[in-house]
Every structure is written in C-alpha cells, then in structure tokens.
C-alpha cells in the first residue's frame, strides 16, 4: 500500500498541522510505503517571497523530521524536485471541468481572505490531484478541510480513465475524526490565517504566553465551567494521559479551579508532550547537511516512481 501526503510550507508548523496531519502521517509510515512531501509549488500561490518560501520549506523539513518522520521508512521530498508533477497537472487540467473547480471551498475562502484570485489558486486542486496520482497512491492522510480536494482528485482520475482508458487507481482519503479539528487560541479551528496558532517548537516563554492568552469566558473560579467547545480541554485532550484529562474535565465540571490554573496545566502538558521532539530537533539542527541529504535521496526515489507513472500516462494520452 502506498500512502501519500503533502503539507505546504506556508508558515511555521503548529499543533493543528501536527495533530491533524503530521502525527497521523508519521504513524502510517509503519503501515505501508509512505511518500511525504513539502508542497512548495502549492505554497507559491500564497507565499510570494523567495527568502520566506525557502526558509519555510527548510523549517518544515526540520520540524517534520523532529516530529518523527523517519527517512529510513518514508520517502521525504520537496514537491518541486519532481517537476513532472506540473506536466501531469496540465494533462489533468485538460479533462477537469471548470465547474468542479468553481465548487471548491478553498479558492473561495482564500480569495475572500484577500489573496489574489490567480489561476494558480484556482487550479490548486488539479496540482494536488497530480501530486496524488503521479505516485499511484492508495491512501492519503489529511485533515478534514482537504476532503473535498480528495473528491476532486477521484473525479479527475475517473475522467482520465473514462477518456483514455484505465490509467489511474482511485485514492482513498484517511481522515482521523477524533483529531479532525484542533482548536486554536480563540476556540475556532487552529489556522495560520486566523492568527490563533500554537507553534510546535515555540520557545518555552512564547508557548506559555500563548497558552495563558487562550480566550475564556468570565465564569468565576468557584463555579463550574462549560466544557463544550473549550479550547483548553480540546487541546489538553491531545497532549495529556486519559487520567490527567479526566481530572481536568472534573475540575471544569465541579468548579473551584480558575482558568489561570487550568491553562498552566495545559502549558505543562504541551511542553512535556513535545520534549522528545525538541531533543530530536536539536540533533537534526546540529547535523549540517542532514536535511539536504534526506530531501535529495527522497527526490530520487520519488522521481523513480513518477517516471514510470508518467511513461504510462504519456502513452495513454498520445504524447
Ligand atoms: P493552516 O490552516 O494553518 O493554513 P494548512 O491548511 O497549511 O494549515 O494545513 C496543513 C495540514 O494540516 C492539512 O492537512 C490540514 O488539514 C492540517 N490542519 C491544519 N490546521 C488544522 C487543524 N486546526 N485541525 C486539524 N488539522 C489541521
Ligand atoms: N493542499 C494540502 C494542504 O493545504 C497540501 C497538499 C498538496 C496535499 N498536495 C497534496 C495533501 C497531496 C495531500 C496530498 O494541506
């Protein structure tokens, strides 16, 4: 089974990225042949500064490795190191109905947030379909917000098969329901674009400040506190043991513990959870050349697969 996923280097990786995408992807690397990549071509639709994009890509590579991506098990590479993916995107675009892309939420969301309505942003799902199909992927672990893109991928693959004969297998999404939406500092979905993120590798004082800044209501210390949609509980559940989580939930329900104390416990929980990752990150940063080596080897392995799929595609469509 081939497992594939990508993540855009569009900012510093946060807990939403970790629990929604990176952790499930890392766990899946045990279950099959994993291909994970840094979607720098996709990030170019919103990050249009060379130094920033380069720095983000590097940081993402370091952080993903620090979180446990194992280059001995998973093929880890940069999307742009496999240029054939843009060729495939073009081929796919010739059978992709405009209406299919017009229905995609992400284009509407991003233009509503002020990003220029470029062709690249509009065609984003086609490039994503190419990412998936060029490696004959079976399973694609993503957050729930990417579900529609997986549906588009399956539609496009079906169109190619219908038009040119059986060429692609249809990939399945893998979406973890329990961590489908990680809450941010304001209780809404954690996202770079909402400015409510907690970065995985934030320094201790920054992390503490962020956690202490989580938005809460004005329930007095002694009173029971609402557990529904609580960002504190939602985040604590991800990092604490079941017993510690239940203890915090009980404190919410009984009252008598203030939000300040609850946040301190959450901070300690997050800091502890990532201690192993932080140590690994320091080792990675100390080994100059490691990241370049990993990505170069990954690119070679990825191109090996994409070359053979592209030969099949070109033959099927008459190029
Ligand atoms: P952002 O919303 O911060 O821009 P991205 O859209 O780049 O994050 O998401 C990268 C990956 O992380 C995707 O697979 C996405 O589903 C996942 N992800 C991002 N934020 C969350 C979240 N709050 N909860 C769960 N998964 C998330
Ligand atoms: N669109 C994904 C995101 O924003 C990133 C991505 C690009 C991706 N290509 C992919 C994810 C292929 C899975 C498979 O998070």
């Amino acid at each position: 089974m081939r497992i594939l996923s990508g993540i855009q280097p569009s900012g510093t990786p946060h807990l939403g990225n970790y629990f929604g995408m990176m952790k499930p992807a890392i766990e899946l690397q045990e279950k099959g042949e994993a291909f994970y990549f840094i979607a720098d071509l996709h990030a170019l639709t919103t990050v249009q500064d060379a130094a920033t994009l380069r720095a983000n890509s590097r940081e993402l590579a370091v952080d993903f490795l620090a979180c446990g991506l194992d280059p001995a098990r998973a093929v880890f590479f940069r999307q742009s190191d496999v240029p054939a993916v843009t060729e495939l995107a073009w081929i796919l675009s010739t059978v992709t109905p405009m209406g299919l892309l017009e229905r995609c939420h992400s284009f509407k969301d991003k233009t509503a947030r002020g990003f220029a309505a470029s062709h690249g942003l509009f065609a984003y799902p086609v490039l994503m379909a190419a990412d998936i199909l060029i490696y004959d992927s079976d399973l694609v672990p993503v957050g729930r917000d990417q579900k529609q893109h997986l549906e588009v991928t399956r539609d496009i693959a079906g169109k190619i098969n219908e038009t040119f004969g059986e060429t692609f297998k249809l990939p399945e999404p893998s979406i973890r329901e329990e961590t489908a939406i990680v809450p941010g500092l304001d209780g809404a979905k954690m996202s770079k674009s909402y400015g409510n993120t907690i970065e995985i590798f934030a320094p201790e004082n920054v992390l503490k400040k962020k956690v202490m800044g989580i938005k809460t209501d004005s329930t007095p210390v002694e009173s029971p506190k609402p557990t529904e949609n609580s960002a504190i509980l939602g985040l604590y559940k991800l990092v604490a043991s079941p017993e510690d989580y239940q203890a915090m939930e009980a404190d919410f329900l009984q009252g008598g513990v203030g939000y300040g104390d609850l946040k301190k416990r959450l901070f300690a929980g997050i800091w502890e959870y990532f201690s192993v990752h932080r140590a690994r990150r320091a080792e990675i940063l100390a080994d100059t050349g490691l990241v370049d080596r990993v990505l170069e080897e990954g690119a070679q392995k990825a191109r090996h697969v994409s070359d053979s799929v592209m030969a099949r595609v070109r033959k099927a469509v008459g190029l």
Side-chain angles (χ1 to χ4, degrees), residues 4-6 8 37 39 42 124 128 131-132 140 142 146:
L4 171 125
S5 195
Q8 292 189 73
F37 66 93
H42 273 117
Y124 184 111
M128 182 156 161
D131 288 328
I132 296 169
V140 185
V142 283
Q146 297 296 313

Side-chain angles (χ1 to χ4, degrees), residues 7-13 22 37-44 47 49-65 76-81 281 291-292 295:
I7 179 162
Q8 292 189 73
S10 50
T12 304
M22 297 160 84
F37 66 93
I38 297 171
D40 53 356
L41 293 170
H42 273 117
L44 204 45
V47 181
D49 176 81
T52 307
L53 184 58
R54 219 169 273 130
N56 285 356
S57 296
R58 181 103 203 152
E59 185 177 37
L60 178 56
V62 169
D63 287 4
F64 214 148
L65 290 167
F76 187 39
F77 60 103
R78 259 186 307 250
Q79 183 183 31
S80 59
D81 282 338
R281 190 166 186 273
V291 175
D292 288 328
L295 292 177

Side-chain angles (χ1 to χ4, degrees), residues 86-141:
T86 59
E87 179 189 354
L88 180 58
W90 174 258
I91 295 170
L92 301 182
S93 78
T94 64
V95 301
T96 305
M98 289 288 285
L100 188 64
L101 300 180
E102 274 158 3
R103 282 195 294 277
C104 286
H105 311 304
S106 74
F107 178 73
K108 288 184 253 182
D109 291 350
K110 283 182 181 154
T111 51
R113 274 193 263 129
F115 288 110
S118 67
H119 173 259
L121 205 52
F122 185 68
Y124 184 111
V126 182
L127 180 58
M128 182 156 161
D131 288 328
I132 296 169
L133 299 174
I134 204 166
Y135 304 109
D136 279 334
S137 313
D138 298 293
L139 197 68
V140 185

Side-chain angles (χ1 to χ4, degrees), residues 280-295:
R280 207 183 291 133
R281 190 166 186 273
E283 282 170 25
I284 292 165
L285 289 173
D287 187 347
T288 42
L290 173 80
V291 175
D292 288 328
R293 240 168 21 242
V294 165
L295 292 177

Side-chain angles (χ1 to χ4, degrees), residues 54 56 72 76 86 92-93 106 110 120 130 152 167 170 172 184 196-197 204 237 244 272 284 292 305 310:
R54 219 169 273 130
N56 285 356
F76 187 39
T86 59
L92 301 182
S93 78
S106 74
K110 283 182 181 154
V152 168
T167 308
L170 303 194
E172 296 288 341
N196 63 356
T197 55
E204 194 169 3
K237 188 166 199 164
D244 287 348
E272 165 64 23
I284 292 165
D292 288 328
V305 176
M310 283 310 290

